[in-house]
Amino acid sequence: MTTPQALTSDQPWTHLNDDADCCLLLETDILPPYANTCRWFAGKARQQEAFRIRQMHQIPMEATIAYLFIMEVRYADGDTESYQLPVSFVDIAAPNAPDIPAKGIITVAYFQGQRGLLVDGIYDERFRLALFHHLTAQSTLRQEAGQVTFQRGRGLAGEDINAPASGRVLPVDSSNSALVYNEKYFLKLYRKLFSETNPEVDMVSFLTENSDFAHIPAYAGGVVWQRPDAPDVTLGMMQRMVENEKDSWAQTGDYLNDFLYAVPNRLFAIKEDVFDKVELLARRTAEMHLALYKPGHADEPTDPAFAPEQFTDDYRVFIIGRLEHLLERRYSLLVDNYQKLDPLAQRLAWVFMEAKEMIDEFVADFRTRPLESLRVRIHGDYHLGQVLATAPDRSNDFIIIDFEGEPESSITERKIKHSPLKDVAGMIRSYHYAVCAKLFNSAETEGIDSEHLQRVSDRWFRLIRDTYVDTYLETFGSPHPLFKDNTEINFLLLVYLLEKAVYELGYEISYRPAWVKIPLKGIVDVIREIEKIRMADTSRSADVPRLQTGLLQTKKA
């Protein structure tokens, strides 16, 4: 890596924005190479044409200021992106100068002859503590373009704004930066910015401020850039820290060990503890959705962003368009990669592709079917890895995390309201992955026929799925406005299960061909249920072919 050019200015650090030449040097020679070394910068693989500092928000801190650079990156093709980079100036000759790690040093800098380092502000203790102080004090900082507002949440209740604080950077490289304060609070500083509020902040703050749902890290505050004549931009969010033992994917893997060790001996073993955990997670899921269901009334209307909605034509068009696009691409991927699949995956792929007409009819039914269930904001990327299991001495419960939504969806799409059954479908698919990944990828089951493993994993999965869904619905009680009746519940659950499994299929074909059988089996299970619905309705066309389950049978010598 080449040494970056030193930054020199005749202006004091506090007047950096007055030195046009200095700012131009930052944009052309200093910030681009630095950003490309950072894990949070997502544009490394794209051809970058220009970096521009669009805003330099000033954040007062001990005896000086830091800046929040809002950088705009333009590429040769595709949309421009915006990133947040906090920047501070460290006088390395000053007493008690902080020790800055190499990855936090942007360049050497001279301001009015004073030598120091230009650094990523998260590595400067003064900046970290300034963020915490402004959050506890609910500061509003006027800027050249709008204001930076620090919003204090219920999770900070009782915190004295004058109490001493300590802050550290979590040693993890990710798409955002994480700071910890007093070992009680977790601040996520969003690096890549979007032209509207972050869905995670919307969700966590709504649940904390408007409900008693306690199974998330409580919202402690947010940092927002309020722009004139434009939507607010979320810069950061702070939550209460939660002690946890592991995520639920790892916990489920542990519970599957007893089952795994029994399979070679042709025994079927599930401890009661497993069902207890599944029931508890189902209740917590339902309680989360109940907290998000806020119909409001004339005297206290609900925030429109969270008000329940009907199944509109626009929503159906969105889901159908997404599903049809996914299906078209997956059919092509299967054809192109068919020879790479193992025999079981090949047979499942044939059943899926032969059922195209039946799937098309099911999608057409969703377009016109009367639906009286409601839609609300949901988690949106719900699976076992998004649930933390607390230790037995810490209530032995669950904490739900990461409300940012599907990573590949736009911010606007992540805020679309769905039936809560979309989250349920995500968790069902996660349980299916857990058992299949365990049985098909363990030394204990090597040499066992794949079809036998498929049957055994199906039995475990159906028991867990039915336990989860039954407990989830029981928690709501019947009737409930979110769900008209069981017929509608079953239909909508199939829509979301099909969408999820088809989405998963693309990833597995591209990156884990040995796992393609997992989403394919999920798709075939949905198609079986679709066929049952179709066969029970005598008004439907008899011309659509039946499911070709015979393709799943191996030929016996």
Side-chain angles (χ1 to χ4, degrees), residues 227-239:
R227 300 183 294 173
D229 304 318
D232 295 348
V233 175
T234 304
L235 303 177
M237 178 180 68
M238 189 161 70
Q239 295 174 270

Side-chain angles (χ1 to χ4, degrees), residues 39-93:
R39 169 67 176 81
W40 48 260
F41 179 54
K44 299 180 187 67
R46 299 175 64 184
Q47 184 179 341
Q48 302 150 26
E49 289 195 333
F51 277 64
R52 294 288 181 267
I53 304 173
R54 290 304 184 191
Q55 302 294 333
M56 297 174 62
H57 299 317
Q58 297 188 8
I59 307 298
M61 64 182 196
E62 179 187 324
T64 183
I65 64 169
Y67 294 99
L68 291 182
F69 285 1
I70 309 298
M71 300 189 304
E72 183 182 88
V73 185
R74 191 174 73 245
Y75 301 95
D77 58 357
D79 296 335
T80 60
E81 295 178 327
S82 293
Y83 289 89
Q84 172 184 198
L85 175 63
V87 179
S88 67
F89 176 67
V90 175
D91 180 359
I92 55 178

Side-chain angles (χ1 to χ4, degrees), residues 308-525:
E309 294 181 8
Q310 301 285 335
F311 275 77
T312 62
D313 289 342
D314 286 345
Y315 176 76
R316 295 179 198 239
V317 168
F318 168 73
I319 292 294
I320 290 170
R322 173 183 165 91
L323 187 51
E324 288 179 338
H325 175 71
L326 287 172
L327 284 166
E328 181 180 355
R329 295 189 53 140
R330 294 334 180 233
Y331 291 139
S332 297
L333 279 171
L334 281 175
V335 171
D336 293 343
N337 295 273
Y338 183 77
Q339 296 301 326
K340 299 178 183 177
L341 307 181
D342 62 49
L344 176 57
Q346 288 180 343
R347 294 195 294 276
L348 289 166
W350 269 112
V351 174
F352 169 39
M353 291 188 287
E354 288 292 317
K356 183 178 185 304
E357 288 183 67
M358 192 183 300
I359 293 172
D360 290 345
E361 186 187 69
F362 177 70
V363 173
D365 191 11
F366 177 62
R367 189 186 303 275
T368 58
R369 185 186 187 103
L371 294 169
E372 296 181 28
S373 298
L374 297 178
R375 298 181 294 122
V376 293
R377 289 287 292 274
I378 63 169
H379 184 283
D381 188 28
Y382 199 51
H383 54 79
L384 289 166
Q386 306 285 41
V387 181
L388 301 179
T390 59
D393 61 345
R394 296 282 181 175
S395 77
N396 204 16
D397 213 313
F398 293 113
I399 298 293
I400 300 169
I401 61 170
D402 197 357
F403 286 80
E404 287 194 70
E406 288 182 339
E408 294 185 15
S409 297
S410 69
I411 294 298
T412 300
E413 288 173 345
R414 298 183 207 184
K415 296 184 179 184
I416 290 175
K417 296 166 188 172
H418 301 273
S419 168
L421 295 170
K422 182 174 173 69
D423 278 348
V424 174
M427 191 56 70
I428 289 173
R429 293 296 311 135
S430 194
Y431 277 122
H432 186 228
Y433 259 80
V435 65
C436 290
K438 198 76 167 182
L439 259 63
F440 282 99
N441 298 284
S442 295
E444 289 81 0
T445 55
E446 270 188 58
I448 298 179
D449 179 66
S450 62
E451 290 187 45
H452 177 69
L453 290 179
Q454 187 69 73
R455 289 193 298 273
V456 172
S457 63
D458 282 351
R459 292 185 187 116
W460 183 93
F461 168 63
R462 290 189 188 108
L463 284 170
I464 298 302
R465 176 198 62 193
D466 292 348
T467 300
Y468 181 82
V469 173
D470 290 348
T471 305
Y472 174 84
L473 293 173
E474 286 169 5
T475 307
F476 278 91
S478 182
H480 190 278
L482 278 172
F483 313 111
K484 181 197 173 188
D485 54 34
N486 285 338
T487 299
E488 213 160 276
I489 288 170
N490 292 336
F491 179 82
L492 289 172
L493 191 53
L494 289 176
V495 171
Y496 294 121
L497 282 169
L498 180 62
E499 178 200 25
K500 184 67 174 176
V502 172
Y503 173 82
E504 295 163 351
L505 179 58
Y507 180 87
E508 304 304 353
I509 292 174
S510 300
Y511 300 104
R512 292 188 298 199
W515 286 36
V516 167
K517 64 175 74 69
I518 301 177
L520 277 174
K521 183 59 170 62
I523 293 170
V524 170
D525 286 346

Side-chain angles (χ1 to χ4, degrees), residues 257-285:
N257 284 335
D258 292 323
F259 180 62
L260 171 69
Y261 299 147
V263 168
N265 299 313
R266 300 188 67 82
L267 296 173
F268 192 89
I270 306 180
K271 289 184 177 180
E272 283 297 318
D273 287 353
V274 177
F275 293 107
D276 292 343
K277 285 295 183 185
V278 173
E279 289 177 346
L280 180 59
L281 180 55
R283 284 197 296 274
R284 297 296 179 247
T285 305

Side-chain angles (χ1 to χ4, degrees), residues 288-303:
M288 173 182 69
H289 290 148
L290 283 166
L292 289 166
Y293 173 69
K294 293 289 184 182
H297 48 78
D299 295 335
E300 190 178 352
T302 301
D303 178 353

